[in-house]
Structure formats: C-alpha cells, structure tokens
Amino acid sequence: MLRISCMAAFSRIILLLLVGNIVYSSAYALGDIADGYTNHLSVYPGDSITLYLNAYQTTPGYTIKLYTLQGQEVLQCQATVSPQLSDSKNTYEDGFGYKRTTTVYLPPTLKSGVYLWENKIPMIVKSSTAKIIVLYPSNTENAYCNSGGKSLYSFNSSDKAASPIVSFLRPMSIEPHSMEFLRWMEQQDFQNVGYITDMDMDEYREIKRASLLIITGHSEYWTLQARKNFDRFIGDGKNALVLSGNTMWWQVRYSKDRNQLICYKNADKDPIKSTKLKTINWNEITLNYPILRSLGTDFTLAGYGRKADKGWDGYKVIASRSPLLEGTKLKDGDILSCASDELDGAPLSGFENGIPIINQEALGFQKVEIIGYDHVARGGVDGVATWIVFKANRSSGIVINTASTDWCSRHGIGSNPDIQTITRTMITRLLNHEYVFSPETSKEPASFAN
C-alpha cells in the first residue's frame, strides 16, 4: 500500500479546498481525484457517459470506480488521469472545459439510482419502466453550487455578485437536503424504482409510465415545461409525494445546448422577450401560474423553520387518525421532530381552538386535509407551515406534501424513525391507491377519495 506523508496528505486537503471552490471531506481529499464532472446529468443503462476528471498527478491505468450512496462499488474502468486546468475565465458560467478523461459504456443491467464516480461525482441512472419515479433536484444543486467562483446567490459568489447563468459542466456534489432519503430509499425493497433529474422533467415520456412521482429535498427551480408535466401527471390520475420545501419557487430555463441553468430573478434584467418565460418567482402575477395550483402550499405563506421561536422544529400532529401515521404512536398534539431550513404553507382562513383551518375557497380543491403544522417566520412576518394531503378534483390524483426542505435530510428521515415509517407508509399507500385521508374528513367512499 502506498503511504502518504502527513505533509503530503495535508497538501492534498488544501488543494482540494481550493480547486473549484468545492469543499469535500478529508477522506475524499486523500484520494487521487480532486474533482470532475460528466457530460450528462442522467443516462440510461447501456448508454455511454464521458468523464472529465481532475487528478492530483498523472497516473496511467488509474482505476476509476463507481459507487452507490451506500459506498458499494458497482463498476470500474481504467484510464490515464492527470491534473486539469480550466480553459475559461468564467468557469462558473462556461464550464470548466476539462479535457476528456474517458468514455464509459454502462452495463445494460445497471440498476436505476443515484451514483458517485470516485465517491464524489454524481450520476443519475434512469429507468424506462419504473412505477415509482424519484426526482433528484439537480437544478437546485447547480443554483447553490459556487464551483468556479459563483452561484445564483451573492452570499457564496466572488465579489458578493451572483451570476444569472451557471454551468452544469463543473464539479458539483450531491444536493444535501436529499441525501439521507436517497440513501434510505436505496435500502428499501420497493420494486421498479427509477430516478430522474430536473432536466428530465421537461420530457413527459420520462414519467409517463410511472404511478407515483416523489419530489425530494429542496426542489426550488422549475422550468415551465416541468411544471406543466407535473400537473399533467396529477391530472392523469397519478399520485405525487412532495418531500420538499421551498418547492417550485423560481422559474428557470436552460441554454439551447442544455449545459447551462438560467435564472435572472428579475424580469427587467432577463433578456428573453416572452413574459411567460421570465426567470422570476412563480407567484409573480405576470407568469399567471401560482404555486398553490400545483402543490397546495407555497413559501410565501410559511418561511424559515429554524429561525422562528414560536414553533417546535417539527410538525404538531392534528390528524392522529390519518392512515399515514400507522405504525407510529403519534397522537394529536404530539410533535414530529424535523428541524427544517425552509417550509411551505397552505392558505388558511384562521384557527379554531388553536388548530389551523384550510381556506378551501382559496385552493378550490375537492378535498384537502392538514396532518400537522408548525409556526415559522420570514422577513419578520409569522407564517404557518402545513403538511397536507389533497385531491384537486374528482379525476385527479392524490398529492401528499410534507412541505419541508429537511424531511429528506439528516434532521428528518436520517434521524427520526417515525419519519422513516411515515414515508414508507405514504409511498405504499399512494402506489397502491389506498386510502390516505382521515376517516372523519369525508363521507365519500375510499374509492372516490383516492
């Protein structure tokens, strides 16, 4: 085994922290690959994918490995790896421009999932036959990534100036709010599970055959076509499980070559002529496509979970007879712990005995129920986060919306056994079209309710 001196190991750690402005754990820093990316965000088994790897030193015949999120090696190939230098000044926008390391043909038998090349470079493998589709929030990860010096945000961009355009062809890590769910899901025994990226949502064929769509983590950036496809899916009588908060907050679009994510967050600065395609907040009147129409909640009605001192860092249960809570001992008034960064809320008409009441007129849904709620705040204004279940109309599918960025993180499914149990129950019931509302919420038979 090759031994590395303490000074050499320390140098590798420092170098890794500097390259691409991405921070990885020291365990990864001791590896031979500093960073890298792929030419496609997602592929099918049997497809090819090109790797662009940046190594600490030139190594002929280096063994490149592909891992599951559980750390299981599933594939390896050999290629010469070398240190890489970017060929662009604005790498955050133009891409890093690394030279091709190798092209890998994936085995036709490779299972759909989220994988990591060298335990650090994400790759999503899709399925054309899945009944459960898990949506990985690749747009959100790119939006917050400051690899190359800038993101869509000023707080982590050079000179505190955000860029309205960021490249997918640069080093990125796994979206942190989704990580624990993805690991958990990898260990479950659900059959026919497939994974896609945000960009794949632009193509309805990617979800057409599925019965259940699961949105994970922090799914903040959506294109117009992705939203239309989501609504079409529900309108076709399919079901969705939204395990995300601050969901569908910004409209985005892609460059013609689909290598860039575009979001100006300001209608006047966005050069596109079409008013409907301006990359602004989805609740802006000019877009005429409010978030509530799709999700029953939005961020403006709730806020930040860990910055409000009136809440409980979790949901207070008010529907203990809900079949979604089967397998837990949760009672009305109990707190389902899930400290969250951001949460969404449904429109309320007020409170009755301290319990929030849904504003049915504002939503216009056939049937809606609050399972739990939390007091949050945003910009000094109090809000109410709501975990809801709804059926928009008689022919539409069911949507369960946990409305939290951290349901899928270490604060939620990664540490709370009740959330693990509830998540499995929600998936199972939606997949099997079983009853998902509390018995007292409707006199209609289960066949209508679902």
Side-chain angles (χ1 to χ4, degrees), residues 120-315:
K120 67 186 67 174
I121 302 166
M123 177 186 72
I124 284 73
V125 175
K126 301 184 287 186
S127 168
S128 60
T129 61
K131 294 302 180 183
I132 301 174
I133 292 290
V134 178
L135 176 62
Y136 174 75
S138 52
N139 285 348
T140 301
E141 177 52 39
N142 195 8
Y144 282 88
C145 175
N146 68 344
S147 182
K150 288 188 184 294
S151 71
L152 294 185
Y153 293 84
S154 60
F155 78 91
N156 66 348
S157 292
S158 58
D159 302 320
K160 299 299 178 182
S163 173
I165 303 174
V166 287
S167 175
F168 287 105
L169 300 179
R170 57 186 185 143
M172 284 184 275
S173 55
I174 289 284
E175 200 285 312
H177 290 94
S178 301
M179 174 64 87
E180 294 305 320
F181 170 82
L182 296 172
R183 284 177 172 165
W184 176 84
M185 194 67 175
E186 201 174 76
Q187 300 177 75
Q188 304 306 302
D189 58 359
F190 294 112
Q191 301 299 309
N192 292 328
V193 180
Y195 295 76
I196 62 172
T197 66
D198 286 326
M199 193 175 290
D200 295 315
M201 274 296 295
D202 275 17
E203 302 291 339
Y204 192 69
R205 60 181 172 79
E206 297 283 5
I207 61 174
K208 183 178 181 179
R209 295 186 179 183
S211 300
L212 173 62
L213 175 64
I214 302 176
I215 300 173
T216 66
H218 189 182
S219 191
E220 184 177 354
Y221 292 84
W222 284 63
T223 65
L224 174 60
Q225 190 58 52
R227 284 204 60 190
K228 287 181 176 179
N229 286 342
F230 175 84
D231 289 345
R232 177 182 174 185
F233 187 83
I234 303 303
D236 286 345
K238 311 293 186 69
N239 297 332
L241 177 57
V242 182
L243 305 178
S244 166
N246 191 213
T247 310
M248 295 181 184
W249 189 238
W250 295 103
Q251 174 166 218
V252 295
R253 64 180 182 273
Y254 306 117
S255 58
K256 289 183 179 180
D257 61 8
R258 302 178 77 78
N259 286 333
Q260 294 171 315
L261 179 70
I262 302 169
C263 189
Y264 282 83
K265 302 185 178 181
N266 184 304
D268 293 332
K269 293 181 180 180
D270 193 335
I272 199 166
K273 293 181 179 180
S274 172
T275 302
K276 300 300 182 183
L277 293 177
K278 292 288 185 180
T279 51
I280 54 179
N281 184 262
W282 273 115
N283 278 336
E284 292 289 341
I285 296 176
T286 54
L287 296 183
N288 192 30
Y289 206 165
I291 302 165
L292 288 177
R293 186 189 304 178
S294 301
L295 300 177
T297 65
D298 74 39
F299 186 51
T300 60
L301 298 174
Y304 300 100
R306 275 193 278 264
K307 298 180 181 179
D309 56 7
K310 295 182 180 179
W312 309 286
D313 281 340
Y315 282 122

Side-chain angles (χ1 to χ4, degrees), residues 7-18:
M7 181 58 70
F10 178 76
S11 298
R12 284 192 171 191
I13 293 173
I14 295 301
L15 178 59
L16 185 56
L17 294 177
L18 293 176

